[in-house]
């Protein structure tokens, strides 16, 4: 496993549903990283995750996890992947003790001691039916399970959605601890970009089933910027630098794709860093504008 550079490799994957298409997507997740998978609800995040887990059949393309093709070898990866979904996957009558017994029969590397230690750390009652847990407790339960069978890869679909800031911060700390081991990797799907800005090493933006942008998070943040100018100055800005722009009450806000170049070319204008959320919104606006032009 030490020789594998990318834990996940997705190449030219397409999945066509009625009304939605995962459209020829490609990206990779480096080993030892936290990869933030960002997009609006309905953008294709969950469909992509299901494809990685071989829970749906893709129409074309290839997916490799730990260097193995998921079409041929998905059963070999079972023990090395921990999964956390938005909805809890356990029957509501099950207690922590019940779940422990079930997991011992599913995962060959199940660590009962670690599981009960996580239950205690997360303040989760062992004898209480999980159907009576709050949303935050349910997420903690899934994470406790995922961390208790020596998983090398965590795949999580909106794990912090709907949680209060204190619980969300606790979850992020747990994820940080997990990737201290360089053989551990996380693919974290979320539309809460502020969470990913804190912990992600890589980011992948998906919208309408297409990848809009992917790469190192810090490089993406360093590269992009928000240029502020008057409306009559917009025509002076090189089109090659403009991702998209928004008209505001007193001028125009432009997302540019080369902040350093803009600083040199337009020294008299205000140039600010852009957040991941702003970058995502401006790229989505670009797609929407281009779609209107083509109609």
């Amino acid at each position: 496993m030490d020789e594998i550079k990318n834990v996940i490799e997705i190449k030219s994957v397409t999945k066509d549903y009625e009304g939605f298409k995962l459209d020829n997507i490609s990206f990779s997740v480096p080993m030892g990283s936290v990869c933030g998978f960002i997009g609006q609800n309905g953008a294709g995040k969950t469909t992509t995750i299901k494809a990685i887990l071989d829970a749906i059949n893709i129409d074309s393309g290839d997916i490799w996890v730990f260097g193995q093709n998921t079409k041929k070898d998905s059963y070999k990866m079972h023990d090395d992947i921990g999964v956390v979904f938005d909805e809890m996957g356990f029957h509501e009558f099950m207690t922590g003790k019940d779940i422990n017994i079930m997991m011992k029969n599913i995962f060959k590397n199940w660590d009962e001691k670690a599981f009960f230690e996580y239950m205690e750390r997360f303040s989760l009652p062992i004898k209480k039916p999980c159907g009576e847990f709050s949303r935050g407790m349910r997420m903690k339960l899934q994470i406790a399970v995922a961390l208790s069978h020596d998983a090398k890869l965590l795949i999580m679909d909106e794990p912090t959605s709907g949680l209060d800031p204190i619980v969300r911060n606790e979850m992020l700390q747990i994820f940080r601890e997990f990737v201290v081991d360089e053989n551990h990797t996380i693919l974290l799907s979320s539309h809460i970009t502020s969470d990913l800005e804190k912990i992600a090493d890589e980011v992948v933006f998906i919208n309408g089933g297409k990848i809009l942008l992917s790469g190192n998070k810090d490089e993406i943040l360093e590269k992009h910027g928000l240029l502020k100018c008057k409306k009559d100055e917009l025509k002076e800005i090189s089109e090659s630098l403009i991702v998209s722009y928004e008209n505001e009450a007193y001028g125009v806000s432009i997302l540019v794709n080369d902040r350093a170049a803009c600083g040199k070319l337009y020294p008299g204008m205000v140039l600010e860093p852009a957040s991941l959320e702003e970058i995502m919104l401006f790229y989505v606006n670009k797609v929407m504008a281009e779609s209107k032009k083509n109609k």
Side-chain angles (χ1 to χ4, degrees):
M1 188 170 293
D2 291 339
E3 298 177 358
I4 299 171
K5 180 181 178 182
N6 295 317
V7 172
I8 300 173
E9 288 269 7
I10 297 178
K11 292 190 177 180
S12 305
V13 167
T14 296
K15 175 64 178 179
D16 201 349
Y17 291 107
E18 185 176 346
F20 177 78
K21 182 179 182 181
L22 205 58
D23 194 359
N24 195 38
I25 69 167
S26 299
F27 68 89
S28 59
V29 179
M31 176 173 282
S33 69
V34 177
C35 179
F37 195 27
I38 304 173
Q40 304 173 87
N41 292 331
K45 302 189 300 297
T46 300
T47 301
T48 303
I49 286 173
K50 287 181 177 178
I52 294 169
L53 296 172
D54 198 36
I56 59 172
N57 293 319
I58 58 176
D59 298 328
S60 61
D62 288 287
I63 302 173
W64 290 270
V65 178
F66 301 118
Q68 298 173 316
N69 193 300
T70 57
K71 289 181 181 177
K72 304 172 184 176
D73 303 306
S74 61
Y75 67 95
K76 296 180 182 178
M77 310 165 206
H78 177 258
D79 287 321
D80 289 327
I81 301 175
V83 180
V84 177
F85 280 114
D86 186 28
E87 294 296 327
M88 185 176 63
F90 304 113
H91 292 295
E92 295 196 348
F93 61 81
M94 296 185 74
T95 66
K97 286 190 172 183
D98 296 328
I99 291 167
N100 175 61
I101 293 169
M102 181 174 73
M103 293 297 115
K104 280 199 287 189
N105 293 309
I106 293 176
F107 294 108
K108 64 182 181 182
N109 294 326
W110 180 254
D111 189 335
E112 179 178 283
K113 182 174 181 288
F115 175 67
F116 286 121
E117 285 176 352
Y118 279 118
M119 292 288 286
E120 183 177 356
R121 175 181 173 182
F122 298 161
S123 301
L124 298 175
I126 296 173
K127 298 180 181 179
K128 186 176 182 178
C130 61
E132 298 178 18
F133 285 9
S134 67
R135 178 175 175 79
M137 292 168 72
R138 291 182 182 206
M139 280 298 171
K140 288 180 184 180
L141 175 60
Q142 290 192 76
I143 291 168
V145 170
L147 294 175
S148 298
H149 62 85
D150 195 28
K152 303 297 186 295
L153 168 64
L154 291 187
I155 297 179
M156 296 181 283
D157 191 11
E158 300 286 358
T160 59
S161 178
L163 303 181
D164 66 66
I166 294 174
V167 176
R168 274 172 46 208
N169 191 62
E170 184 180 358
M171 294 294 98
L172 297 181
Q173 182 58 39
I174 293 165
F175 303 155
R176 287 191 194 99
E177 291 175 9
F178 180 76
V179 293
V180 167
D181 183 330
E182 294 182 357
N183 289 321
H184 287 171
T185 306
I186 293 177
L187 176 64
L188 175 57
S189 158
S190 181
H191 63 272
I192 305 176
T193 53
S194 59
D195 286 350
L196 299 177
E197 204 154 329
K198 292 177 183 177
I199 67 166
D201 304 297
E202 306 283 319
V203 290
V204 178
F205 291 85
I206 189 168
N207 182 71
K210 296 182 179 181
I211 303 298
L212 298 187
L213 187 67
S214 65
N216 179 271
K217 179 202 70 180
D218 291 338
E219 290 177 2
I220 288 173
L221 289 172
E222 182 67 27
K223 184 178 177 183
H224 292 82
L226 287 175
L227 188 68
K228 310 282 187 174
C229 69
K230 297 176 182 178
K231 292 180 180 179
D232 59 1
E233 293 175 321
L234 177 60
K235 60 181 180 294
E236 300 175 18
I237 311 302
S238 171
E239 289 187 7
S240 65
L241 295 172
I242 298 174
V243 175
S244 65
Y245 64 89
E246 288 184 353
N247 287 310
E248 299 177 339
Y250 300 102
V252 180
S253 184
I254 308 164
L255 181 71
V256 295
N257 56 28
D258 191 334
R259 197 188 336 163
C262 282
K264 293 176 182 178
L265 290 171
Y266 314 108
M269 297 182 185
V270 176
L271 182 58
E272 302 173 347
S275 66
L276 283 180
E277 181 173 359
E278 289 167 331
I279 292 169
M280 182 179 75
L281 291 174
F282 274 90
Y283 269 92
V284 170
N285 289 343
K286 176 185 178 181
V287 171
M288 293 174 65
E290 290 173 349
S291 179
K292 287 180 181 179
K293 279 184 183 179
N294 295 329
K295 284 184 179 180

